[in-house]
Amino acid sequence: MSSNELNFLEGLVYLSKKDKILGKVIKEIKPEEPEKRDPNFEALVRIISGQQLSSAAASTIFNRLKDFLGKNEITPQLIKECIPQQILKCGLSNAKTKYILNLADLFLVEPNFLHELKDKESKEIIEVLQKIKGIGIWSASIFALFYLNHSNVFGWGDISIKKAIRLLYGEDQEMEHERIIEITSKWTPYRSTACIVLWKWLDEGAIKFS
């Protein structure tokens, strides 16, 4: 295991010791390690198609695209064989359709693009991915966290993560960037595990503690 790679159970132990509030959440919901996901072109298509959508809506649209393509792994070649109207009919917006088509062009020109990312540090990976039109900090962070399995990625721009922090740490108003950094700094080097815990906590109904 590289120094970047997520050790989920080790992260749970570390977070429980470093953050009493997060420790209570971990004890209550008993989060499980997420399944490994392949870091490929399809992964980025899935992330782009799901931007600013609920999990259910994102899955529906992505599955329509998969069905249209014959449920095969989505590749740059398959995308480039489509006309934009076919992708739009799956439920993607004009902007997301353009982003996915442009992404396919990039991968056809640079087929080793993702392979060259794998050994980089999380910060550099996120910076490189954000240079691609249609991929912001949220999308880049999700890819580094779930698909490259990096241990210290925080989901900047994720509304659910921000909501969970506000509810757990008693923030009544819109949270300042500096306050989020203050709360999350103690989670390093396991911020990825912390995000997974917070998402799970919200999915479980945001259980309150006395």
Side-chain angles (χ1 to χ4, degrees):
M1 180 178 291
S2 72
S3 59
N4 284 325
E5 193 169 342
L6 176 64
N7 185 319
F8 189 73
L9 295 178
E10 189 176 283
L12 292 179
V13 173
Y14 179 90
L15 293 169
S16 296
K17 291 178 180 178
K18 288 288 184 177
D19 188 322
K20 291 181 180 179
I21 293 174
L22 212 54
K24 288 180 180 179
V25 174
I26 291 167
K27 183 178 179 181
E28 180 68 31
I29 67 174
K30 299 177 177 58
E32 296 181 355
E33 183 172 7
E35 293 183 5
K36 298 291 189 295
R37 308 180 189 184
D38 292 329
N40 52 21
F41 174 79
E42 179 175 291
L44 287 172
V45 172
R46 179 189 285 272
I47 291 170
I48 290 172
S49 67
Q51 290 169 349
Q52 299 180 320
L53 296 175
S54 67
S55 296
S59 294
T60 296
I61 291 172
F62 180 75
N63 288 333
R64 281 182 195 152
L65 184 60
K66 288 281 284 184
D67 289 342
F68 171 72
L69 295 172
K71 296 187 178 179
N72 299 308
E73 177 183 324
I74 299 175
T75 64
Q77 291 81 5
L78 281 174
I79 290 296
K80 289 303 292 182
E81 289 171 5
C82 300
I83 59 175
Q85 287 76 10
Q86 291 172 318
I87 299 175
L88 286 165
K89 284 182 179 179
C90 295
L92 285 101
S93 65
N94 278 302
K96 290 179 181 179
T97 297
K98 290 178 182 177
Y99 297 154
I100 290 171
L101 288 167
N102 288 338
L103 186 69
D105 288 333
L106 170 65
F107 273 69
L108 288 171
V109 173
E110 300 182 47
N112 294 322
F113 176 76
L114 288 181
H115 180 74
E116 293 169 359
L117 278 185
K118 288 182 180 179
D119 294 326
K120 297 182 183 297
E121 295 295 323
S122 303
K123 183 178 180 182
E124 187 176 1
I125 290 170
I126 291 169
E127 288 174 351
V128 170
L129 287 173
Q130 285 187 89
K131 293 177 181 177
I132 302 172
K133 193 167 185 179
I135 297 182
I137 191 167
W138 178 84
S139 298
S141 298
I142 292 297
F143 187 79
L145 194 163
F146 283 110
Y147 293 90
L148 294 179
N149 204 36
H150 277 232
S151 66
N152 197 33
V153 179
F154 182 72
W156 290 110
D158 190 277
I159 295 173
S160 295
I161 292 292
K162 196 171 183 179
K163 176 183 177 182
I165 293 173
R166 181 174 55 80
L167 291 173
L168 283 168
Y169 296 86
E171 302 291 330
D172 295 328
Q173 304 298 324
E174 183 71 12
M175 296 182 70
E176 297 291 338
H177 183 78
E178 292 74 16
R179 177 58 177 150
I180 295 176
I181 292 175
E182 178 186 345
I183 292 170
T184 62
S185 60
K186 67 181 73 172
W187 301 345
T188 297
Y190 293 104
R191 292 189 299 171
S192 296
T193 301
C195 288
I196 293 167
V197 169
L198 295 178
W199 280 314
K200 175 68 173 175
W201 179 68
L202 287 176
D203 287 344
E204 294 286 314
I207 303 161
K208 299 294 183 181
F209 304 102
S210 57

